[in-house]
Amino acid sequence: MARPAAGLRPPAAALLCAPAGRSELWAINKIPGTYLSAALQGHHFILGMFSELKFPVPWGHVAAKAWGSSEGHPVLCLHGWLDNANTFDKLIPLLPRGCYYVAMDFSGHGLSSHRPAGSPYHFLDYVTDVRRVAAALQWRRFTLMGHSMGGSVAGMFCSLYPEMVDKLILLESLGFMLAAEDTDAWLKSKRTVIDRLLSLEAKQQTPKARSPEAALQRAQDGLLVPHKLDSRNHFAKALREEFESTLKEHIQLVEVPGSHFVHLNEPEVVSGIISNFLTVQNTRARL
């Protein structure tokens, strides 16, 4: 079964089926974090000729269509909301043949796998999909072309990874823009989130086994011990100080001996404190 017509919401049954009458070329994971693509090496595309690609992701695969020689200048094409890679079928054959065009299906669209049930589809997740596909194709620098929602995703990707994009083409889209005062902090935090996630997926390491003694040593102090807040967690330190300055007599912070799981390992250490708080009549009473 082929992808539904561009611009139409696909029925669920169509999403996981391979297209009939078209050759499939899989992107195979040879080394953790590294993918090799097979895509009409050394040939130019002719009108209507393309190949199918699939890139492994933790929840299944991201599907894509490719036109042209993989030796050509890379162009990644991003479709809009409730659309799919077929939206570029008529445009790409009219574009320069010196490029290698890859039109991907965002997760949950076209022939790409849905994310797990209950998972949201945020713009940043689509940006992460783009980063995954670029890594799979081993593209360090490429052109982005996006239509509608795909243009917004492309703009967001350009903001986060400007060194990876040489040109940006927006179709019925204004891209992406942040307020000036938010730009640096937002870009830094979101890029860190994506990079750490993909790095973790690429490593695919077996969890380290620790002895009971070593585990006990690592669980030894809680996360919010005052003398560790300066070096470990600036946010927690600032939050604690804000609580104390704002709530004043309405709050009392109590430090007790134990680990992060003191409530589980030594419940008697905190049970009395909590019980007193639950039973006092005056909400301003001290613990």
Side-chain angles (χ1 to χ4, degrees), residues 118-249:
S119 299
Y121 288 79
H122 294 308
F123 266 40
L124 195 64
D125 297 320
Y126 293 134
V127 174
T128 306
D129 286 349
V130 173
R131 188 69 181 84
R132 285 190 174 95
V133 169
L137 292 168
Q138 300 181 353
W139 287 357
R140 295 185 177 181
R141 191 166 174 82
F142 54 95
T143 295
L144 269 175
M145 178 165 63
H147 169 250
S148 190
M149 182 190 79
S152 298
V153 174
M156 188 179 293
F157 185 92
C158 287
S159 298
L160 289 167
Y161 299 96
E163 75 281 4
M164 295 186 67
V165 181
D166 59 3
K167 295 179 181 178
L168 174 64
I169 302 169
L170 301 177
L171 302 169
E172 278 291 294
S173 174
L174 294 177
F176 172 77
M177 182 176 293
L178 284 170
E181 62 272 17
D182 299 331
T183 301
D184 291 340
W186 190 93
L187 294 178
K188 181 178 180 180
S189 65
K190 297 303 183 288
R191 178 165 176 155
T192 298
V193 167
I194 294 175
D195 290 347
R196 286 183 177 176
L197 173 63
L198 299 187
S199 176
L200 182 64
E201 291 177 2
K203 289 178 181 178
Q204 300 180 348
Q205 293 178 341
T206 302
K208 294 181 180 179
R210 301 185 184 275
S211 67
E213 294 77 14
L216 181 62
Q217 181 65 32
R218 291 177 62 89
Q220 186 173 3
D221 285 326
L223 298 179
L224 303 179
V225 178
H227 70 271
K228 289 191 174 183
L229 287 183
D230 288 335
S231 59
R232 176 182 291 178
N233 195 327
H234 295 288
F235 173 77
K237 180 175 183 293
L239 186 60
R240 176 184 176 128
E241 292 174 348
E242 187 65 22
F243 270 137
E244 292 178 312
S245 64
T246 302
L247 298 177
K248 297 182 174 59
E249 71 274 11

